[in-house]
């Protein structure tokens, strides 16, 4: 009988340990290192991220994120170059149709649109929607610089041309670099952030001092101006008296419209 060959038993490799789970660095009581904060800010890992080590993930994802940021800047500026005359309108996304500020924003968008100005907003609801609605009714360019959120992109129905942004800060640069005038309606933290960004750029000479910054709504904005005047200037001299002249306070769309046209025509702030 032929000799039966013995089949060697298969050698089993040691079970490799699974790579460490990716940790999403969010709010925590633990003190985060600078690399942790950069990692969270730049990569925001999700379940779809490959299970690399944290260092590998930081390097790989950060590099791609930087390219994405660069692309947003290039595409954003290229998009804005299409428009020669522009006014940016800011305000709360929570303002309803019945809110007086909504109606004034719609009216101002229409008046400026009839003068041939493109109206640029953040592209969302509330005051942004109202400004785009007015421009659309006037037959003027109605532009939205939208932010892409997890669920969907917030985009109001009155936008004719738009550009979506993944990062808030690239969108913010586009909103602050686009216009011949900036109009701020009542709003929350986002509106205040954009207002002080614009004023700081003008104050530090990064933006032309002749660019009008208009605050519409005396009941809303006057207390803030009074606080800045009393505490930031009068009591502490944290700002220069001339810095207060950067803010132009009006109470209606008609006032804002006349003031903007006057300041742009004169190319200088009023005395």
């Amino acid at each position: 009988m032929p000799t039966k060959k013995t089949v060697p038993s298969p050698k089993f490799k040691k079970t490799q340990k699974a790579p460490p789970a990716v940790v999403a660095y969010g709010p925590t009581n633990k003190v985060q290192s600078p690399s942790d904060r950069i990692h969270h800010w730049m990569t925001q890992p999700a379940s779809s991220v490959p299970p690399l080590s944290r260092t590998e993930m930081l390097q790989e994802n950060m590099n791609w994120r930087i390219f994405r940021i660069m692309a947003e800047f290039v595409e954003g500026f290229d998009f804005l170059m299409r428009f020669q005359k522009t006014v940016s309108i800011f305000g709360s996304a929570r303002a309803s149709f019945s809110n007086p500020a909504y109606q004034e924003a719609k009216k101002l968008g229409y008046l400026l649109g009839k003068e041939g100005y493109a109206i640029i907003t953040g592209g969302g609801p509330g005051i942004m929607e109202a400004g785009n609605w007015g421009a659309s009714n006037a037959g003027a360019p109605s532009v939205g610089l939208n932010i892409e959120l997890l669920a969907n992109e917030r985009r109001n129905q009155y936008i004719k041309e738009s550009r979506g942004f993944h990062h808030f800060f690239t969108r913010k640069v586009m909103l602050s670099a686009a216009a011949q005038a900036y109009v701020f309606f009542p709003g929350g933290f986002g509106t205040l952030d954009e207002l002080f960004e614009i004023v700081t750029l003008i104050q530090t000479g990064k933006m032309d001092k002749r660019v009008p910054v208009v605050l519409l709504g005396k009941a809303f904005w006057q207390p803030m101006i009074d606080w800045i005047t009393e505490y930031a200037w009068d009591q502490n001299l944290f700002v220069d008296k001339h810095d207060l002249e950067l803010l132009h306070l009006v109470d209606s769309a008609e006032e804002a419209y006349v003031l903007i046209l006057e300041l742009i025509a004169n190319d200088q702030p009023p005395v």
Side-chain angles (χ1 to χ4, degrees):
M1 292 182 63
T3 306
K4 187 176 181 180
K5 294 183 179 180
T6 305
V7 179
S9 301
K11 293 182 180 180
F12 294 95
K13 295 181 179 179
K14 284 187 177 181
T15 304
Q16 295 181 348
K17 291 184 178 180
V22 176
V23 180
Y25 290 88
T28 175
N29 293 328
K30 180 183 176 182
V31 177
Q32 297 178 340
S33 68
S35 63
D36 289 337
R37 292 194 293 271
I38 293 173
H39 176 257
H40 171 65
W41 181 72
M42 291 296 291
T43 63
Q44 300 175 6
S47 58
S48 60
V49 176
L52 304 174
S53 70
R54 201 177 73 186
T55 301
E56 291 172 325
M57 181 187 299
L58 178 62
Q59 292 172 344
E60 181 173 305
N61 284 0
M62 184 180 290
N63 289 339
W64 283 110
R65 288 297 174 102
I66 289 172
F67 281 118
R68 183 174 190 172
I69 292 166
M70 291 169 60
E72 287 197 352
F73 276 120
V74 172
E75 292 172 359
F77 281 118
D78 185 60
F79 174 72
L80 292 175
M81 286 176 65
R82 304 178 194 175
F83 311 103
Q84 300 301 315
K85 296 170 60 178
T86 59
V87 173
S88 290
I89 291 179
F90 302 86
S92 175
R94 302 181 183 184
S96 65
F97 178 82
S98 60
N99 191 303
Y102 186 106
Q103 298 302 323
E104 292 298 317
K106 180 182 175 184
K107 191 184 301 181
L108 182 60
Y110 179 85
L111 292 172
L112 291 171
K114 282 296 185 182
E115 286 291 327
Y117 284 93
I119 300 301
I120 297 179
T121 75
I127 297 298
M128 295 173 281
E129 176 184 275
N132 287 130
W133 190 355
S136 180
N137 285 350
S142 179
V143 183
L145 303 181
N146 313 89
I147 188 69
E148 299 169 355
L149 300 178
L150 293 177
N152 56 1
E153 183 179 339
R154 297 191 309 171
R155 184 178 185 274
N156 70 66
Q157 61 183 314
Y158 301 105
I159 293 172
K160 294 181 179 178
E161 300 183 69
S162 67
R163 174 64 63 182
F165 293 88
H166 179 76
H167 297 284
F168 271 101
F169 58 89
T170 51
R171 171 177 176 260
K172 189 177 176 184
V173 170
M174 298 302 115
L175 284 168
S176 64
Q180 279 78 59
Y182 300 88
V183 184
F184 291 87
F185 286 81
F189 289 130
T191 302
L192 294 172
D193 175 47
E194 289 156 337
L195 168 61
F196 287 113
E197 167 100 358
I198 295 292
V199 175
T200 301
L201 291 172
I202 296 174
Q203 179 196 45
T204 55
K206 300 299 182 181
M207 187 180 289
D208 197 326
K209 288 184 178 291
R210 296 168 295 182
V211 176
V213 178
V214 180
L215 309 181
L216 198 154
K218 291 182 178 179
F220 184 87
W221 293 113
Q222 189 65 62
M224 184 196 75
I225 293 177
D226 293 341
W227 182 86
I228 294 173
T229 302
E230 181 176 354
Y231 293 102
W233 173 61
D234 188 35
Q235 292 191 19
N236 294 291
L237 298 178
F238 292 153
V239 298
D240 192 280
K241 183 178 181 181
H242 295 294
D243 294 337
L244 300 175
E245 299 171 4
L246 299 174
L247 304 173
H248 307 295
L249 184 61
V250 299
D251 212 26
S252 69
E254 290 83 2
E255 286 182 73
Y257 167 74
V258 171
L259 178 63
I260 290 169
L261 295 188
E262 179 185 339
L263 295 178
I264 292 176
N266 294 337
D267 207 23
Q268 60 183 4
V271 178

PDB file of all heavy atoms in Angstrom, residues 26-53:
ATOM      1  N   GLY A  26     -13.879  66.002  21.675  1.00  0.00           N
ATOM      2  CA  GLY A  26     -14.928  66.985  21.838  1.00  0.00           C
ATOM      3  C   GLY A  26     -14.856  67.590  23.218  1.00  0.00           C
ATOM      4  O   GLY A  26     -13.822  67.553  23.881  1.00  0.00           O
ATOM      5  N   PRO A  27     -15.992  68.156  23.689  1.00  0.00           N
ATOM      6  CA  PRO A  27     -16.001  68.725  25.032  1.00  0.00           C
ATOM      7  C   PRO A  27     -15.667  67.672  26.072  1.00  0.00           C
ATOM      8  O   PRO A  27     -16.225  66.587  26.079  1.00  0.00           O
ATOM      9  CB  PRO A  27     -17.444  69.223  25.184  1.00  0.00           C
ATOM     10  CG  PRO A  27     -17.933  69.393  23.789  1.00  0.00           C
ATOM     11  CD  PRO A  27     -17.242  68.333  22.988  1.00  0.00           C
ATOM     12  N   THR A  28     -14.759  67.958  26.941  1.00  0.00           N
ATOM     13  CA  THR A  28     -14.329  67.001  27.953  1.00  0.00           C
ATOM     14  C   THR A  28     -13.742  67.749  29.131  1.00  0.00           C
ATOM     15  O   THR A  28     -13.317  68.892  29.009  1.00  0.00           O
ATOM     16  CB  THR A  28     -13.282  66.038  27.365  1.00  0.00           C
ATOM     17  OG1 THR A  28     -12.809  65.195  28.404  1.00  0.00           O
ATOM     18  CG2 THR A  28     -12.113  66.787  26.770  1.00  0.00           C
ATOM     19  N   ASN A  29     -13.718  67.080  30.273  1.00  0.00           N
ATOM     20  CA  ASN A  29     -13.106  67.687  31.454  1.00  0.00           C
ATOM     21  C   ASN A  29     -11.592  67.551  31.415  1.00  0.00           C
ATOM     22  O   ASN A  29     -10.886  68.174  32.192  1.00  0.00           O
ATOM     23  CB  ASN A  29     -13.659  67.014  32.719  1.00  0.00           C
ATOM     24  CG  ASN A  29     -15.120  67.323  32.912  1.00  0.00           C
ATOM     25  OD1 ASN A  29     -15.565  68.405  32.545  1.00  0.00           O
ATOM     26  ND2 ASN A  29     -15.863  66.398  33.489  1.00  0.00           N
ATOM     27  N   LYS A  30     -11.086  66.687  30.512  1.00  0.00           N
ATOM     28  CA  LYS A  30      -9.654  66.469  30.414  1.00  0.00           C
ATOM     29  C   LYS A  30      -8.986  67.651  29.717  1.00  0.00           C
ATOM     30  O   LYS A  30      -9.485  68.156  28.721  1.00  0.00           O
ATOM     31  CB  LYS A  30      -9.392  65.193  29.617  1.00  0.00           C
ATOM     32  CG  LYS A  30      -7.908  64.867  29.459  1.00  0.00           C
ATOM     33  CD  LYS A  30      -7.735  63.636  28.590  1.00  0.00           C
ATOM     34  CE  LYS A  30      -6.271  63.353  28.331  1.00  0.00           C
ATOM     35  NZ  LYS A  30      -6.084  62.188  27.448  1.00  0.00           N
ATOM     36  N   VAL A  31      -7.856  68.085  30.260  1.00  0.00           N
ATOM     37  CA  VAL A  31      -7.099  69.169  29.640  1.00  0.00           C
ATOM     38  C   VAL A  31      -6.465  68.644  28.368  1.00  0.00           C
ATOM     39  O   VAL A  31      -5.729  67.656  28.389  1.00  0.00           O
ATOM     40  CB  VAL A  31      -6.013  69.714  30.591  1.00  0.00           C
ATOM     41  CG1 VAL A  31      -5.203  70.796  29.891  1.00  0.00           C
ATOM     42  CG2 VAL A  31      -6.663  70.265  31.853  1.00  0.00           C
ATOM     43  N   GLN A  32      -6.747  69.270  27.225  1.00  0.00           N
ATOM     44  CA  GLN A  32      -6.242  68.812  25.943  1.00  0.00           C
ATOM     45  C   GLN A  32      -4.924  69.500  25.615  1.00  0.00           C
ATOM     46  O   GLN A  32      -4.734  70.674  25.892  1.00  0.00           O
ATOM     47  CB  GLN A  32      -7.260  69.102  24.840  1.00  0.00           C
ATOM     48  CG  GLN A  32      -8.571  68.357  25.022  1.00  0.00           C
ATOM     49  CD  GLN A  32      -9.558  68.718  23.936  1.00  0.00           C
ATOM     50  OE1 GLN A  32      -9.428  69.738  23.295  1.00  0.00           O
ATOM     51  NE2 GLN A  32     -10.552  67.878  23.734  1.00  0.00           N
ATOM     52  N   SER A  33      -4.042  68.745  24.999  1.00  0.00           N
ATOM     53  CA  SER A  33      -2.774  69.310  24.556  1.00  0.00           C
ATOM     54  C   SER A  33      -3.001  70.104  23.286  1.00  0.00           C
ATOM     55  O   SER A  33      -4.039  69.956  22.623  1.00  0.00           O
ATOM     56  CB  SER A  33      -1.776  68.186  24.284  1.00  0.00           C
ATOM     57  OG  SER A  33      -2.185  67.437  23.153  1.00  0.00           O
ATOM     58  N   PRO A  34      -2.032  70.969  22.880  1.00  0.00           N
ATOM     59  CA  PRO A  34      -2.189  71.706  21.621  1.00  0.00           C
ATOM     60  C   PRO A  34      -2.411  70.782  20.433  1.00  0.00           C
ATOM     61  O   PRO A  34      -3.217  71.092  19.563  1.00  0.00           O
ATOM     62  CB  PRO A  34      -0.866  72.473  21.518  1.00  0.00           C
ATOM     63  CG  PRO A  34      -0.420  72.655  22.932  1.00  0.00           C
ATOM     64  CD  PRO A  34      -0.861  71.407  23.647  1.00  0.00           C
ATOM     65  N   SER A  35      -1.707  69.636  20.389  1.00  0.00           N
ATOM     66  CA  SER A  35      -1.887  68.727  19.257  1.00  0.00           C
ATOM     67  C   SER A  35      -3.293  68.142  19.242  1.00  0.00           C
ATOM     68  O   SER A  35      -3.869  67.921  18.184  1.00  0.00           O
ATOM     69  CB  SER A  35      -0.849  67.601  19.306  1.00  0.00           C
ATOM     70  OG  SER A  35      -1.015  66.813  20.482  1.00  0.00           O
ATOM     71  N   ASP A  36      -3.867  67.905  20.423  1.00  0.00           N
ATOM     72  CA  ASP A  36      -5.245  67.413  20.494  1.00  0.00           C
ATOM     73  C   ASP A  36      -6.221  68.448  19.933  1.00  0.00           C
ATOM     74  O   ASP A  36      -7.142  68.125  19.189  1.00  0.00           O
ATOM     75  CB  ASP A  36      -5.633  67.096  21.944  1.00  0.00           C
ATOM     76  CG  ASP A  36      -4.931  65.853  22.468  1.00  0.00           C
ATOM     77  OD1 ASP A  36      -4.515  65.030  21.633  1.00  0.00           O
ATOM     78  OD2 ASP A  36      -4.804  65.714  23.691  1.00  0.00           O
ATOM     79  N   ARG A  37      -6.002  69.696  20.311  1.00  0.00           N
ATOM     80  CA  ARG A  37      -6.913  70.748  19.839  1.00  0.00           C
ATOM     81  C   ARG A  37      -6.790  70.949  18.336  1.00  0.00           C
ATOM     82  O   ARG A  37      -7.791  71.133  17.641  1.00  0.00           O
ATOM     83  CB  ARG A  37      -6.631  72.049  20.598  1.00  0.00           C
ATOM     84  CG  ARG A  37      -7.006  71.984  22.071  1.00  0.00           C
ATOM     85  CD  ARG A  37      -7.031  73.357  22.700  1.00  0.00           C
ATOM     86  NE  ARG A  37      -5.691  73.947  22.769  1.00  0.00           N
ATOM     87  CZ  ARG A  37      -4.863  73.780  23.784  1.00  0.00           C
ATOM     88  NH1 ARG A  37      -5.237  73.015  24.802  1.00  0.00           N
ATOM     89  NH2 ARG A  37      -3.677  74.346  23.798  1.00  0.00           N
ATOM     90  N   ILE A  38      -5.564  70.917  17.823  1.00  0.00           N
ATOM     91  CA  ILE A  38      -5.356  71.059  16.382  1.00  0.00           C
ATOM     92  C   ILE A  38      -5.989  69.867  15.657  1.00  0.00           C
ATOM     93  O   ILE A  38      -6.655  70.015  14.636  1.00  0.00           O
ATOM     94  CB  ILE A  38      -3.856  71.145  16.051  1.00  0.00           C
ATOM     95  CG1 ILE A  38      -3.267  72.439  16.612  1.00  0.00           C
ATOM     96  CG2 ILE A  38      -3.628  71.080  14.543  1.00  0.00           C
ATOM     97  CD1 ILE A  38      -1.765  72.532  16.492  1.00  0.00           C
ATOM     98  N   HIS A  39      -5.795  68.684  16.243  1.00  0.00           N
ATOM     99  CA  HIS A  39      -6.357  67.473  15.652  1.00  0.00           C
ATOM    100  C   HIS A  39      -7.873  67.567  15.554  1.00  0.00           C
ATOM    101  O   HIS A  39      -8.469  67.258  14.522  1.00  0.00           O
ATOM    102  CB  HIS A  39      -5.945  66.279  16.514  1.00  0.00           C
ATOM    103  CG  HIS A  39      -6.540  64.975  16.065  1.00  0.00           C
ATOM    104  ND1 HIS A  39      -7.604  64.391  16.710  1.00  0.00           N
ATOM    105  CD2 HIS A  39      -6.226  64.162  15.033  1.00  0.00           C
ATOM    106  CE1 HIS A  39      -7.912  63.262  16.102  1.00  0.00           C
ATOM    107  NE2 HIS A  39      -7.090  63.104  15.082  1.00  0.00           N
ATOM    108  N   HIS A  40      -8.512  68.026  16.604  1.00  0.00           N
ATOM    109  CA  HIS A  40      -9.970  68.146  16.605  1.00  0.00           C
ATOM    110  C   HIS A  40     -10.428  69.192  15.601  1.00  0.00           C
ATOM    111  O   HIS A  40     -11.361  68.982  14.836  1.00  0.00           O
ATOM    112  CB  HIS A  40     -10.457  68.514  18.007  1.00  0.00           C
ATOM    113  CG  HIS A  40     -11.918  68.867  18.051  1.00  0.00           C
ATOM    114  ND1 HIS A  40     -12.911  67.963  17.774  1.00  0.00           N
ATOM    115  CD2 HIS A  40     -12.537  70.040  18.317  1.00  0.00           C
ATOM    116  CE1 HIS A  40     -14.081  68.558  17.877  1.00  0.00           C
ATOM    117  NE2 HIS A  40     -13.878  69.821  18.196  1.00  0.00           N
ATOM    118  N   TRP A  41      -9.734  70.326  15.579  1.00  0.00           N
ATOM    119  CA  TRP A  41     -10.151  71.437  14.731  1.00  0.00           C
ATOM    120  C   TRP A  41      -9.969  71.136  13.248  1.00  0.00           C
ATOM    121  O   TRP A  41     -10.806  71.459  12.421  1.00  0.00           O
ATOM    122  CB  TRP A  41      -9.362  72.687  15.112  1.00  0.00           C
ATOM    123  CG  TRP A  41      -9.714  73.892  14.320  1.00  0.00           C
ATOM    124  CD1 TRP A  41     -10.861  74.626  14.402  1.00  0.00           C
ATOM    125  CD2 TRP A  41      -8.913  74.531  13.323  1.00  0.00           C
ATOM    126  NE1 TRP A  41     -10.820  75.666  13.528  1.00  0.00           N
ATOM    127  CE2 TRP A  41      -9.637  75.635  12.849  1.00  0.00           C
ATOM    128  CE3 TRP A  41      -7.648  74.263  12.789  1.00  0.00           C
ATOM    129  CZ2 TRP A  41      -9.145  76.480  11.869  1.00  0.00           C
ATOM    130  CZ3 TRP A  41      -7.160  75.121  11.809  1.00  0.00           C
ATOM    131  CH2 TRP A  41      -7.900  76.207  11.359  1.00  0.00           C
ATOM    132  N   MET A  42      -8.857  70.482  12.900  1.00  0.00           N
ATOM    133  CA  MET A  42      -8.543  70.269  11.504  1.00  0.00           C
ATOM    134  C   MET A  42      -9.168  69.003  10.919  1.00  0.00           C
ATOM    135  O   MET A  42      -9.524  68.972   9.755  1.00  0.00           O
ATOM    136  CB  MET A  42      -7.019  70.196  11.315  1.00  0.00           C
ATOM    137  CG  MET A  42      -6.314  71.517  11.537  1.00  0.00           C
ATOM    138  SD  MET A  42      -6.788  72.780  10.333  1.00  0.00           S
ATOM    139  CE  MET A  42      -6.035  72.106   8.857  1.00  0.00           C
ATOM    140  N   THR A  43      -9.290  67.947  11.734  1.00  0.00           N
ATOM    141  CA  THR A  43      -9.706  66.670  11.156  1.00  0.00           C
ATOM    142  C   THR A  43     -11.115  66.257  11.527  1.00  0.00           C
ATOM    143  O   THR A  43     -11.785  65.628  10.727  1.00  0.00           O
ATOM    144  CB  THR A  43      -8.739  65.543  11.573  1.00  0.00           C
ATOM    145  OG1 THR A  43      -8.800  65.384  12.990  1.00  0.00           O
ATOM    146  CG2 THR A  43      -7.323  65.873  11.160  1.00  0.00           C
ATOM    147  N   GLN A  44     -11.561  66.556  12.738  1.00  0.00           N
ATOM    148  CA  GLN A  44     -12.894  66.167  13.190  1.00  0.00           C
ATOM    149  C   GLN A  44     -13.211  64.738  12.754  1.00  0.00           C
ATOM    150  O   GLN A  44     -14.043  64.509  11.884  1.00  0.00           O
ATOM    151  CB  GLN A  44     -13.942  67.123  12.635  1.00  0.00           C
ATOM    152  CG  GLN A  44     -13.722  68.557  13.064  1.00  0.00           C
ATOM    153  CD  GLN A  44     -14.700  69.492  12.419  1.00  0.00           C
ATOM    154  OE1 GLN A  44     -15.618  69.066  11.729  1.00  0.00           O
ATOM    155  NE2 GLN A  44     -14.541  70.775  12.636  1.00  0.00           N
ATOM    156  N   PRO A  45     -12.507  63.729  13.282  1.00  0.00           N
ATOM    157  CA  PRO A  45     -12.647  62.364  12.761  1.00  0.00           C
ATOM    158  C   PRO A  45     -14.052  61.818  12.935  1.00  0.00           C
ATOM    159  O   PRO A  45     -14.709  62.036  13.943  1.00  0.00           O
ATOM    160  CB  PRO A  45     -11.648  61.571  13.607  1.00  0.00           C
ATOM    161  CG  PRO A  45     -11.493  62.362  14.854  1.00  0.00           C
ATOM    162  CD  PRO A  45     -11.624  63.799  14.439  1.00  0.00           C
ATOM    163  N   ALA A  46     -14.502  61.096  11.905  1.00  0.00           N
ATOM    164  CA  ALA A  46     -15.801  60.429  11.949  1.00  0.00           C
ATOM    165  C   ALA A  46     -15.577  58.930  11.827  1.00  0.00           C
ATOM    166  O   ALA A  46     -14.444  58.457  11.713  1.00  0.00           O
ATOM    167  CB  ALA A  46     -16.682  60.935  10.806  1.00  0.00           C
ATOM    168  N   SER A  47     -16.655  58.151  11.822  1.00  0.00           N
ATOM    169  CA  SER A  47     -16.518  56.705  11.777  1.00  0.00           C
ATOM    170  C   SER A  47     -15.912  56.232  10.459  1.00  0.00           C
ATOM    171  O   SER A  47     -15.413  55.122  10.359  1.00  0.00           O
ATOM    172  CB  SER A  47     -17.888  56.054  11.963  1.00  0.00           C
ATOM    173  OG  SER A  47     -18.782  56.508  10.962  1.00  0.00           O
ATOM    174  N   SER A  48     -15.961  57.084   9.425  1.00  0.00           N
ATOM    175  CA  SER A  48     -15.441  56.691   8.123  1.00  0.00           C
ATOM    176  C   SER A  48     -13.932  56.881   8.010  1.00  0.00           C
ATOM    177  O   SER A  48     -13.324  56.480   7.023  1.00  0.00           O
ATOM    178  CB  SER A  48     -16.121  57.504   7.020  1.00  0.00           C
ATOM    179  OG  SER A  48     -15.880  58.893   7.219  1.00  0.00           O
ATOM    180  N   VAL A  49     -13.322  57.484   9.003  1.00  0.00           N
ATOM    181  CA  VAL A  49     -11.888  57.722   8.957  1.00  0.00           C
ATOM    182  C   VAL A  49     -11.146  56.398   9.113  1.00  0.00           C
ATOM    183  O   VAL A  49     -11.481  55.594   9.977  1.00  0.00           O
ATOM    184  CB  VAL A  49     -11.468  58.699  10.074  1.00  0.00           C
ATOM    185  CG1 VAL A  49      -9.952  58.869  10.100  1.00  0.00           C
ATOM    186  CG2 VAL A  49     -12.138  60.040   9.870  1.00  0.00           C
ATOM    187  N   PRO A  50     -10.134  56.122   8.270  1.00  0.00           N
ATOM    188  CA  PRO A  50      -9.406  54.855   8.390  1.00  0.00           C
ATOM    189  C   PRO A  50      -8.709  54.748   9.729  1.00  0.00           C
ATOM    190  O   PRO A  50      -8.253  55.747  10.294  1.00  0.00           O
ATOM    191  CB  PRO A  50      -8.385  54.936   7.237  1.00  0.00           C
ATOM    192  CG  PRO A  50      -8.265  56.388   6.922  1.00  0.00           C
ATOM    193  CD  PRO A  50      -9.605  56.972   7.210  1.00  0.00           C
ATOM    194  N   PRO A  51      -8.601  53.534  10.264  1.00  0.00           N
ATOM    195  CA  PRO A  51      -8.054  53.354  11.609  1.00  0.00           C
ATOM    196  C   PRO A  51      -6.531  53.467  11.649  1.00  0.00           C
ATOM    197  O   PRO A  51      -5.814  52.498  11.850  1.00  0.00           O
ATOM    198  CB  PRO A  51      -8.516  51.943  11.982  1.00  0.00           C
ATOM    199  CG  PRO A  51      -8.602  51.244  10.665  1.00  0.00           C
ATOM    200  CD  PRO A  51      -9.056  52.270   9.680  1.00  0.00           C
ATOM    201  N   LEU A  52      -6.040  54.676  11.382  1.00  0.00           N
ATOM    202  CA  LEU A  52      -4.616  54.930  11.480  1.00  0.00           C
ATOM    203  C   LEU A  52      -4.279  55.355  12.901  1.00  0.00           C
ATOM    204  O   LEU A  52      -5.167  55.623  13.715  1.00  0.00           O
ATOM    205  CB  LEU A  52      -4.211  56.041  10.510  1.00  0.00           C
ATOM    206  CG  LEU A  52      -4.563  55.826   9.030  1.00  0.00           C
ATOM    207  CD1 LEU A  52      -4.229  57.082   8.242  1.00  0.00           C
ATOM    208  CD2 LEU A  52      -3.834  54.634   8.468  1.00  0.00           C
ATOM    209  N   SER A  53      -3.000  55.447  13.158  1.00  0.00           N
ATOM    210  CA  SER A  53      -2.604  56.013  14.436  1.00  0.00           C
ATOM    211  C   SER A  53      -2.961  57.491  14.433  1.00  0.00           C
ATOM    212  O   SER A  53      -3.173  58.097  13.385  1.00  0.00           O
ATOM    213  CB  SER A  53      -1.098  55.852  14.648  1.00  0.00           C
ATOM    214  OG  SER A  53      -0.391  56.706  13.759  1.00  0.00           O
TER     215      SER A  53
END
